[in-house]
Amino acid sequence: MKFKTLLLAFLLTTCGVSHAGKTEMAQNITNYMETTYPCTVERVDVSTDKVTISGQCPGDGQFALVEVTPAEDVTETQSFRLRIPIDNNRFSLTLDRKTTYDEIGYDRILSRWAIVEATTGTDVLASHARYADSAPALSSPSELIPKNKKGVGAGLGAVYMQDLVDLDAHNITCNMVMNWYIAKSPVYAKNIEYIYNGQKYYLNGDEIASWDWHLSFYEQHDIAVSAIVLITPNSVDPSLSKVFCHPENTGGYYTMPNMTTIESINAYAAVLEYFASRYNGTGHGRINHWIMHNEVDMGSTWTNMGSQPEQVYTDTYLKSMRLCYNIVRQYDQHASIMGSFTHNWTTTSGGNYPTKTMLEHLVQMSKVEGDFLWGVAQHPYPQNLTRPKFWIDDALSTNDMDSKYVTFKNLEVINEWILQPENMMNGSVKRKLFLSENGTNSPSYSDTDLANQAAGGAWAWKKTNALPGIDAFMWHNWMDNRVEDGLRIGLHFYPDDETNPGGKKPVWYVWEAAGTERESEVLDPYLDIIGVKEWKEIFLLLHSEGRQLEGGRTYNIEAEDYDQGGQGISYGSRNTTAGSDYRTDNDGVNITAYQLLENGWGIYDMGSNWQVYNGAFLDSESKTITRAMAEDYWGSWFTYTFEAKEDLLANIFVKHAAPWKEWGNAAATGCVPGNNSYIVENEPALNWPKHYAGAMVISLDGANLTTTQTARPVAPDAYQSRGTNFNTIKSHPERWTSTLNGKEKTDTLWVWSKSGGNNDQSSICHDDPDYRNVLLKKGKHTIKVKSISAPWNFDCLRIDCYGNTSDVQDLSNNDIAVIKGGKGVINITGAPADASIYTTSGALAGTTRNTINLTPGIYIVKCGTQTAKVKVY
């Protein structure tokens, strides 16, 4: 939006009106964020006693610099309390840092600065406002980087403190209700007199002593503390209740702080200043980060300021974050100011706000007013807090950025958001992301419920520890609490439990083992409860487009998007029906549109008519053909080139459609071999289309991949249109026919109909990957998809890409070597002691000093001081 348009709209809506309605105010805030103004405040520098503001005002007009205190709304104020005329073009002004407003001292480090133009006696914005870019460092503690991501939510006392040590937890939250610690008169048993900006206050000496004890202990044990800044509607000192409580508060457990008067701002800043200046690692402990209020997207309950449009509410919330930041940054330049949000991502209820929308506005406002060190404190509880099996129940927690919820099931969504450059501080510095309040529930203390809670804890840890955007996880609650609406989300039983008061629940032992050498031993047994074979299966890979593959994402390579080059170069197909208008190089390819296929297209009926053989013969009299001739006639092939941007491990799924009337007929009867049709060399009884109906082979860069498949349901000899006989076979996997043919592995993959009698064209894939742990080295690759016999309808390949495996070594002349052959072995020579071999999910596969037989895959070998990842073929 251009400046003149906004100026006209502003004058029209404010002429004769003292205050815009809330809806108008919300629109004004939106316009303010989107407007390109003619002037710019380029920098604000604050020293111990001065503030210097510099910028430029090009063009004609009468411009002035204005101060915008937190008590003023930048889009609504028409006459700012401080207004200094400035010359056109560049300017730089220096003012005293401390001043007095409303007979109360005021610190200008809290202010924004903007440029206005006077037209009809009204101040109209000609620039965005800007907060302080720099502030004096009154203390400079070094950054504490916690030993691990593990933490525990708010708790107090010696037992809790010792538990943190026992759990090896290095991240905690502490609830700090700020208006309980400050008063205008000596109302506490022990009072500490405190002067701030000339105003006398009294602090609760007993509470300060308690925090000294706790925070000193946490600092001594390298535990990072995140203070949760809370304000209750009523203060200990009744005279401060209205000073701290937002004037439009209508209830709720906590209130948005009142920042509408200089008196309120001073009191709020005073208590924050005291805590920031005391707890910065200079003798009383340290607060490392500051979480501003609680679950602000559910503001009506947890940070109430009455009914407000989202833009108005978020603008006020940002004022509180900025006020805290500009105080804290003087004492700790590494402290982040964290926004607190629930699991509601794009959904909301009860007149509250979607988290994603609020975050987007925080990003936008930060960009236009000068970015600062803020982060996200997310609470990704299950959708229903009472139900611990979120991996089953959380249907609305999906793997896309428009998911309704962000829970433990889809932490990848908030991880992806925090890693996007457009959401980073100044486009380059990742913001902190804490899971600052979360846990799984045990609906009762039955063995089943306790195991489900622990399984959820294991899942949550595995994801948190693997996702690079997440910095900490604070388990809530430390101990089950009877006032939490029946929830049992603690690591300990109720303190008054009849059988085990305050005892450790199974989830406690999960949390103790997390991040230690015992992690696999303790967490892996919960895989069965979750229903997966290895931990990497819990990760929801974000859908991505294109052929440049990266870790942590899933890609579809569509059947119809085969390489350019044409018949015999990028594909080989002899279908008699040429495709469609989808692409022109489709000679012999039947590309079919169908709405239930991925991308709406697929390759239909790859291969020639399975009922006859009209191909070449090795011997025309005996009708002998080779296996290669059979594949060439009844099958087809297509190539797909892609690039791995890093070394990857991939799981590959084949999505296909096999309508029963086509596949069932071919698999039941095929084309009977004989002197009048064909005979496969050395296999005279082999009915090729019957045996290989829908079978295929995939090769990577010319080498066939080994499938995970070991058995298949064989279609009955008697075809039934209803397919009930096949469904009986399909429902009993223990009766399936081996696909290994006496071998230990195979490169042939069979597919079959979704069910007997099912003739729709929708595509399916197997539950388990068809090809597991395929190593994709960085660079370009070509996959060749080859059908062995029709009928088979090919939809796409789904390629799930995991992690960076750049340290995978194919070693043959080192202490740790990979030997090919058989099931595969790891041969260890010169080992100083037994070597331990682990799977990539952390499970111990065995120990040895010599040779160990293993199935193909990637393993981590620890041998003395040497550690290496090796591949078994």
Side-chain angles (χ1 to χ4, degrees):
M1 177 180 293
K2 297 299 182 183
F3 167 67
K4 290 184 177 178
T5 303
L6 181 65
L7 171 60
L8 178 60
F10 183 88
L11 291 175
L12 290 174
T13 56
T14 58
C15 185
V17 180
S18 60
H19 182 72
K22 291 296 175 64
T23 301
E24 291 176 297
M25 183 177 177
Q27 186 59 55
N28 289 342
I29 293 171
T30 299
N31 293 345
Y32 168 74
M33 290 190 291
E34 296 176 353
T35 295
T36 300
Y37 290 98
C39 302
T40 306
V41 177
E42 296 176 335
R43 190 164 180 84
V44 178
D45 294 297
V46 180
S47 68
T48 55
D49 61 346
K50 299 292 182 182
V51 179
T52 299
I53 309 99
S54 57
Q56 60 176 324
C57 301
D60 299 329
Q62 296 181 350
F63 297 106
L65 178 71
V66 296
E67 181 180 18
V68 188
T69 69
E72 295 164 296
D73 296 313
V74 69
T75 61
E76 310 306 304
T77 303
Q78 299 177 34
S79 180
F80 292 90
R81 64 173 71 226
L82 177 68
R83 189 176 185 281
I84 305 172
I86 53 178
D87 296 331
N88 291 14
N89 214 336
R90 307 200 64 84
F91 71 89
S92 179
L93 295 174
T94 298
L95 306 172
D96 289 337
R97 173 172 165 175
K98 298 295 183 69
T99 189
T100 299
Y101 289 133
D102 302 333
E103 299 181 351
I104 296 173
Y106 176 73
D107 188 347
R108 284 181 165 145
I109 197 171
L110 308 179
S111 291
R112 288 177 280 181
W113 302 86
I115 300 166
V116 298
E117 183 176 13
T119 54
T120 58
T122 299
D123 289 339
V124 177
L125 286 174
S127 77
H128 290 115
R130 190 172 187 89
Y131 282 94
D133 291 280
S134 67
L138 304 181
S139 62
S140 300
S142 60
E143 182 179 9
L144 172 61
I145 301 176
K147 173 184 175 183
N148 54 40
K149 297 183 181 183
K150 184 166 51 176
V152 182
L156 295 172
V159 176
Y160 168 78
M161 293 156 74
Q162 183 58 47
D163 219 25
L164 296 176
V165 177
D166 294 341
L167 289 167
D168 196 29
H170 288 268
N171 302 274
I172 64 168
T173 57
C174 295
N175 290 330
M176 294 187 173
V177 186
M178 290 300 176
N179 57 325
W180 290 3
Y181 308 142
I182 190 168
K184 288 288 287 181
S185 57
V187 298
Y188 304 112
K190 181 180 179 180
N191 294 277
I192 300 174
E193 187 175 305
Y194 176 55
I195 306 296
Y196 179 75
N197 284 341
Q199 299 294 304
K200 181 186 291 187
Y201 298 99
Y202 296 89
L203 298 166
N204 188 329
D206 289 328
E207 290 289 346
I208 299 301
S210 176
W211 283 122
D212 285 354
W213 177 52
H214 282 89
L215 295 173
S216 294
F217 175 88
Y218 302 146
E219 185 182 22
Q220 291 165 12
H221 289 83
D222 292 328
I223 297 171
V225 176
S226 294
I228 304 175
V229 176
L230 301 168
I231 307 292
T232 53
N234 295 308
S235 300
V236 174
D237 180 350
S239 70
L240 286 181
S241 292
K242 290 186 176 180
V243 172
F244 273 96
C245 182
H246 194 279
E248 296 184 67
N249 173 276
T250 57
Y253 293 105
Y254 300 103
T255 179
M256 185 73 78
N258 182 7
M259 295 171 288
T260 62
T261 67
I262 296 299
E263 179 188 15
S264 296
I265 293 166
N266 199 73
Y268 184 32
V271 66
L272 288 175
E273 175 88 20
Y274 184 87
F275 274 71
S277 62
R278 187 174 185 86
Y279 300 121
N280 54 48
T282 54
H284 304 286
R286 183 176 179 184
I287 297 172
N288 302 84
H289 304 287
W290 302 71
I291 299 175
M292 301 310 292
H293 321 319
N294 186 53
E295 298 186 343
V296 293
D297 57 303
M298 293 289 287
S300 60
T301 302
W302 295 108
T303 311
N304 189 294
M305 64 174 283
S307 178
Q308 307 286 344
E310 179 273 326
Q311 297 95 323
V312 175
Y313 184 90
T314 302
D315 181 63
T316 305
Y317 183 50
L318 186 57
K319 286 183 183 181
S320 183
M321 294 176 73
R322 289 278 198 177
L323 187 148
C324 182
Y325 174 69
N326 282 323
I327 291 171
V328 168
R329 67 191 299 193
Q330 301 171 90
Y331 302 98
D332 190 341
Q333 293 75 49
H334 304 289
S336 284
I337 309 301
M338 312 293 288
S340 173
F341 302 93
T342 71
H343 59 193
N344 296 328
W345 186 242
T346 61
T347 189
T348 187
S349 61
N352 292 295
Y353 319 105
T355 292
K356 184 168 180 274
T357 301
M358 291 188 70
L359 286 173
E360 288 169 348
H361 285 159
L362 288 177
V363 169
Q364 194 173 6
M365 287 289 279
S366 298
K367 287 179 179 177
V368 301
E369 294 189 331
D371 215 340
F372 70 108
L373 205 60
W374 64 267
V376 180
Q378 192 78 7
H379 300 174
Y381 286 110
Q383 286 173 215
N384 185 329
L385 272 65
T386 67
R387 300 173 70 103
K389 299 178 76 170
F390 53 82
W391 55 91
I392 296 173
D393 297 326
D394 287 7
L396 298 179
S397 301
T398 54
N399 58 330
D400 62 86
M401 296 307 292
D402 292 322
S403 174
K404 295 290 186 184
Y405 295 89
V406 167
T407 69
F408 294 141
K409 182 179 179 181
N410 64 337
L411 290 174
E412 294 84 352
V413 171
I414 188 71
N415 178 77
E416 178 78 2
W417 189 93
I418 209 76
L419 292 176
Q420 290 175 349
E422 59 266 32
N423 298 324
M424 293 184 177
M425 178 179 168
N426 293 320
S428 60
V429 178
K430 189 190 85 67
R431 302 185 191 279
K432 297 286 187 186
L433 172 58
F434 295 164
L435 310 184
S436 61
E437 182 194 318
N438 20 229
T440 49
N441 185 45
S442 57
S444 71
Y445 287 160
S446 70
D447 290 344
T448 298
D449 283 347
L450 290 171
N452 287 337
Q453 180 192 30
W459 170 305
W461 170 255
K462 285 292 188 179
K463 280 209 175 182
T464 294
N465 204 37
L467 294 173
I470 301 175
D471 299 287
F473 183 125
M474 292 76 153
W475 188 279
H476 180 88
N477 202 335
W478 169 57
M479 183 176 290
D480 286 346
N481 188 338
R482 293 195 183 276
V483 303
E484 287 197 306
D485 300 319
L487 290 173
R488 297 178 179 86
I489 55 179
L491 299 173
H492 293 262
F493 293 100
Y494 286 127
D496 59 352
D497 183 63
E498 293 182 359
T499 59
N500 192 5
K504 298 170 181 175
K505 299 164 74 175
V507 71
W508 188 95
Y509 296 98
V510 166
W511 216 233
E512 177 197 35
T516 72
E517 293 181 353
R518 298 185 61 241
E519 180 174 314
S520 295
E521 172 192 344
V522 176
L523 273 61
D524 284 2
Y526 294 104
L527 287 166
D528 287 341
I529 293 177
I530 295 170
V532 297
K533 295 179 181 178
E534 51 186 336
W535 286 111
K536 77 177 183 182
E537 295 177 40
I538 71 174
F539 289 87
L540 296 175
L541 305 180
L542 296 175
H543 290 292
S544 296
E545 300 293 334
R547 297 276 187 91
Q548 289 188 318
L549 278 53
E550 298 180 79
R553 285 168 164 75
T554 186
Y555 299 83
N556 282 351
I557 294 182
E558 301 293 338
E560 62 276 11
D561 293 336
Y562 48 84
D563 292 342
Q564 298 285 336
Q567 183 77 264
I569 299 175
S570 60
Y571 70 88
S573 180
R574 54 179 75 241
N575 196 297
T576 56
T577 305
S580 66
D581 293 334
Y582 184 82
R583 57 188 295 173
T584 57
D585 55 337
N586 56 18
D587 180 35
V589 184
N590 188 357
I591 302 177
T592 300
Y594 191 66
Q595 61 181 357
L596 294 181
L597 299 178
E598 296 283 351
N599 199 38
W601 297 89
I603 295 178
Y604 183 80
D605 198 14
M606 292 174 64
S608 298
N609 184 351
W610 54 266
Q611 295 173 308
V612 296
Y613 181 79
N614 290 323
F617 291 102
L618 186 64
D619 180 355
S620 58
E621 288 188 12
S622 65
K623 305 293 186 182
T624 302
I625 65 173
T626 64
R627 293 182 67 89
M629 289 175 176
E631 287 186 17
D632 181 62
Y633 178 76
W634 276 306
S636 56
W637 57 267
F638 298 83
T639 65
Y640 304 86
T641 300
F642 64 92
E643 180 182 2
K645 296 184 71 175
E646 57 186 323
D647 289 356
L648 300 169
L649 285 179
N651 287 346
I652 301 175
F653 300 77
V654 179
K655 297 197 75 174
H656 67 279
W660 172 248
K661 64 183 178 181
E662 299 170 8
W663 182 86
N665 263 306
T669 60
C671 181
V672 179
N675 291 333
N676 293 325
S677 55
Y678 71 98
I679 294 175
V680 179
E681 185 179 28
N682 299 324
E683 299 176 273
L686 178 58
N687 184 331
W688 187 275
K690 175 180 171 65
H691 185 72
Y692 288 112
M696 60 169 291
V697 172
I698 286 184
S699 64
L700 175 67
D701 302 328
N704 288 355
L705 298 178
T706 300
T707 77
T708 59
Q709 193 179 79
T710 58
R712 65 186 177 100
V714 175
D717 290 340
Y719 171 76
Q720 293 179 339
S721 60
R722 291 180 299 172
T724 53
N725 51 3
F726 175 72
N727 290 335
T728 300
I729 297 171
K730 186 172 179 288
S731 63
H732 292 280
E734 71 278 5
R735 303 178 190 172
W736 290 8
T737 299
S738 172
T739 60
L740 300 178
N741 195 26
K743 301 176 182 179
E744 294 181 346
K745 57 185 178 181
T746 181
D747 58 11
T748 303
L749 178 72
W750 273 265
V751 298
W752 47 85
S753 293
K754 185 185 302 184
S755 61
N758 188 311
N759 290 309
D760 69 37
Q761 293 285 347
S762 59
S763 62
I764 58 173
C765 63
H766 299 133
D767 293 334
D768 292 326
D770 297 311
Y771 306 89
R772 186 189 297 274
N773 288 340
V774 178
L775 178 61
L776 302 176
K777 299 292 287 184
K778 181 180 178 180
K780 289 189 176 181
H781 300 275
T782 298
I783 279 182
K784 185 176 184 178
V785 178
K786 184 177 183 180
S787 69
I788 298 176
S789 180
W792 188 55
N793 304 330
F794 178 31
D795 184 6
C796 69
L797 297 177
R798 192 186 96 198
I799 304 179
D800 293 352
C801 298
Y802 294 93
N804 187 305
T805 60
S806 59
D807 54 345
V808 173
Q809 301 173 50
D810 185 359
L811 302 176
S812 57
N813 296 305
N814 207 328
D815 289 344
I816 300 175
V818 176
I819 308 297
K820 299 180 181 178
K823 281 189 174 181
V825 297
I826 291 180
N827 183 43
I828 300 173
T829 58
D834 281 349
S836 299
I837 296 95
Y838 299 89
T839 67
T840 53
S841 62
L844 182 66
T847 59
T848 184
R849 287 196 184 190
N850 300 304
T851 301
I852 185 169
N853 292 309
L854 294 165
T855 56
I858 304 297
Y859 295 88
I860 300 169
V861 181
K862 294 185 177 180
C863 187
T865 59
Q866 183 179 4
T867 300
K869 276 189 180 179
V870 295
K871 183 180 180 184
V872 173
Y873 297 90

